[in-house]
């Protein structure tokens, strides 16, 4: 039987494998809790801005089959005050 080692390391961070979520899919404590129950090696929190942003309205995803996909979500996030208050708990949940 062939065994494949999927362990990776980057900048001193070691992971069992390279499966992790896309950054735009995790923005708050509840989403971190959900991902912490999944078999991901790491949880990536999306972009953070000083002010809360609801993101772009309307069509934000454009598929070009066989070539690429483009999204323009508009950096939706709860803003820096939310992360200053909740990021330590988010880290604890992820670990």
């Amino acid at each position: 039987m062939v065994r494949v080692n999927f362990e990776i390391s980057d900048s001193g961070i070691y992971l069992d494998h390279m499966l992790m979520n896309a950054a735009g899919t995790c923005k708050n404590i509840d989403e971190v809790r959900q991902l912490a129950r999944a078999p991901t090696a790491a949880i990536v929190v999306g972009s953070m801005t000083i002010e809360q942003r609801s993101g772009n309205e309307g069509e934000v995803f454009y598929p070009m089959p066989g070539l690429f996909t483009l999204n323009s979500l508009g950096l939706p996030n709860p803003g820096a005050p939310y992360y200053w208050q909740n990021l330590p708990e988010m880290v604890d949940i992820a670990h």
Side-chain angles (χ1 to χ4, degrees):
M1 175 197 293
V2 175
R3 295 189 64 82
V4 179
N5 181 354
F6 290 106
E7 292 177 358
I8 62 169
S9 68
D10 184 27
S11 303
I13 298 172
Y14 297 90
L15 303 174
D16 292 335
H17 54 80
M18 54 195 138
L19 179 65
M20 41 187 115
N21 63 293
T25 63
C26 183
K27 301 288 187 173
N28 59 49
I29 288 176
D30 291 333
E31 292 166 346
V32 170
R33 281 192 184 104
Q34 289 176 336
L35 285 167
R37 292 189 302 263
T40 59
I43 297 174
V44 180
V45 175
S47 300
M48 301 173 192
T49 56
I50 299 296
E51 300 295 326
Q52 178 181 359
R53 293 178 56 102
S54 60
N56 294 334
E57 296 180 12
E59 189 66 38
V60 296
F61 181 75
Y62 178 77
M64 189 62 150
L67 296 175
F68 63 87
T69 59
L70 177 67
N71 75 57
S72 178
L73 299 175
L75 304 176
N77 73 93
Y82 176 88
Y83 291 113
W84 289 329
Q85 180 178 352
N86 295 294
L87 195 56
E89 183 178 354
M90 293 166 77
V91 171
D92 287 343
I93 293 167
H95 285 249

